[in-house]
Amino acid sequence: RTPAAVGEVHVGQCITADSFGQRHLGAEPVDCSRADATLQLVSRGDGTATCPDGAREGTKYLALINSGRTQCYVPNLRVGQCYAFVDTFTPVDCTDHAANISVVRRFDGTAEAVECDAAAKTVTFRGSPRAYCFVAP
């Protein structure tokens, strides 16, 4: 949680899992339609700011925080795609042994009353708002 530089990623822009994994607040934004653009910035603030859920530590958002900046990201995942999720989401083939999440539904603009199949896990981001239905590949 100690990124090196202050970045110029703006709310609504996306970054790759590799950039997030490097804990680099100065990552170059990429086109959100790219398959590897798995994180979208939903809030940014100073070094004391919280994420949309009101938390810093223990937030459900993927956050990069240093003494001067806070950046909170929501997953930007595609329906039908599998991901290896460890600290962030990396797109992988669904037959890859590292695949542990498959996206079956995505809801943009709402996180209320989202219903997933009984076999799926529902993950909501109310402050964004966005929700997903995940299953094991």
Side-chain angles (χ1 to χ4, degrees):
R1 279 205 182 250
T2 312
V6 173
E8 290 302 318
V9 179
H10 298 283
V11 171
Q13 292 181 315
C14 293
I15 64 170
T16 65
D18 287 342
S19 292
F20 186 86
Q22 294 172 13
R23 310 309 240 193
H24 187 50
L25 277 156
E28 285 293 316
V30 298
D31 187 322
C32 289
S33 66
R34 283 179 36 174
D36 63 344
T38 59
L39 297 169
Q40 185 173 29
L41 186 66
V42 294
S43 71
R44 67 183 259 173
D46 65 20
T48 64
T50 60
C51 289
D53 59 2
R56 285 173 54 82
E57 299 300 321
T59 180
K60 70 187 318 183
Y61 291 83
L62 287 92
L64 295 176
I65 300 169
N66 71 12
S67 61
R69 289 280 168 106
T70 300
Q71 293 180 343
C72 302
Y73 292 88
V74 67
N76 179 45
L77 308 179
R78 298 169 185 252
V79 172
Q81 175 68 53
C82 291
Y83 297 87
F85 177 75
V86 180
D87 292 325
T88 189
F89 298 89
T90 302
V92 295
D93 188 82
C94 291
T95 59
D96 188 312
H97 73 280
N100 55 10
I101 292 173
S102 176
V103 179
V104 292
R105 292 187 75 187
R106 173 177 165 159
F107 303 89
D108 287 310
T110 185
E112 303 300 323
V114 171
E115 292 188 26
C116 295
D117 182 278
K121 176 178 169 101
T122 304
V123 178
T124 60
F125 297 89
R126 294 197 191 299
S128 304
R130 184 170 293 159
Y132 291 97
C133 299
F134 295 138
V135 296

